[in-house]
């Protein structure tokens, strides 16, 4: 099944984030991310995510998310049945747990800018 991107929005943003892996979890993190579950992909797109890229350098993870509204995305995913088990799994691997409560404590926002049309 091919998922359609979220409808185009003039408020689309590019958000860069920094997180860290727990030491010794590098291979497990790579394995878990080898295949994103289709239901999580659908949940992300329904929440307004257009793309999400992650680069890893040692324990450092650099995320670039293209999203309609970052705060709204987090709110939509907080209790989503596809995201809750994924976030629980990520909490086992990341040095900073994120419960999607709306507080990015420990998740380093690097920059955010509007997408030029």
């Amino acid at each position: 099944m091919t998922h359609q991107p979220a409808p185009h929005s003039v408020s689309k943003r590019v958000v860069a984030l920094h997180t860290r892996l727990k030491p010794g979890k590098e291979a497990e993190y790579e394995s878990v991310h080898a295949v994103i579950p289709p239901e999580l992909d659908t949940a992300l797109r329904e929440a307004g995510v257009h793309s999400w890229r992650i680069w890893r350098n040692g324990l450092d993870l650099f995320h670039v998310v293209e999203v309609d509204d970052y705060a709204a995305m987090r709110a939509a995913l907080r209790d989503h049945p596809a995201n809750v088990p994924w976030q629980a799994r990520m909490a086992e691997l990341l040095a900073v747990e994120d419960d999607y409560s709306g507080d990015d404590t420990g998740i380093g926002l690097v920059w955010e800018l509007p997408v030029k049309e």
Side-chain angles (χ1 to χ4, degrees):
M1 176 177 178
T2 303
H3 301 289
Q4 298 299 315
H8 179 69
S9 168
V10 295
S11 64
K12 188 165 49 173
R13 311 292 286 182
V14 175
V15 179
L17 305 165
H18 173 250
T19 57
R20 287 186 60 81
L21 287 171
K22 291 178 181 173
K25 297 294 184 177
E26 300 90 338
E28 195 173 350
Y29 179 87
E30 296 282 344
S31 174
V32 168
H33 279 79
V35 177
I36 301 300
E39 60 274 10
L40 180 60
D41 181 84
T42 299
L44 290 168
R45 295 188 188 281
E46 288 173 352
V49 173
H50 295 270
S51 68
W52 194 315
R53 297 174 215 93
I54 304 171
W55 292 267
R56 185 173 73 80
N57 182 14
L59 297 178
D60 292 304
L61 299 168
F62 302 96
H63 307 249
V64 176
V65 182
E66 186 179 37
V67 63
D68 288 326
D69 180 326
Y70 180 70
M73 174 207 70
R74 290 179 56 81
L77 292 174
R78 180 177 45 246
D79 298 318
H80 195 286
N83 189 56
V84 170
W86 181 263
Q87 283 308 120
R89 184 72 178 105
M90 290 301 100
E92 297 171 5
L93 305 175
L94 296 178
V96 176
E97 294 185 26
D98 184 4
D99 64 2
Y100 274 55
S101 65
D103 179 9
D104 276 349
T105 303
I107 304 294
L109 180 64
V110 180
W111 51 255
E112 179 178 2
L113 72 156
V115 175
K116 288 190 171 191
E117 302 302 327

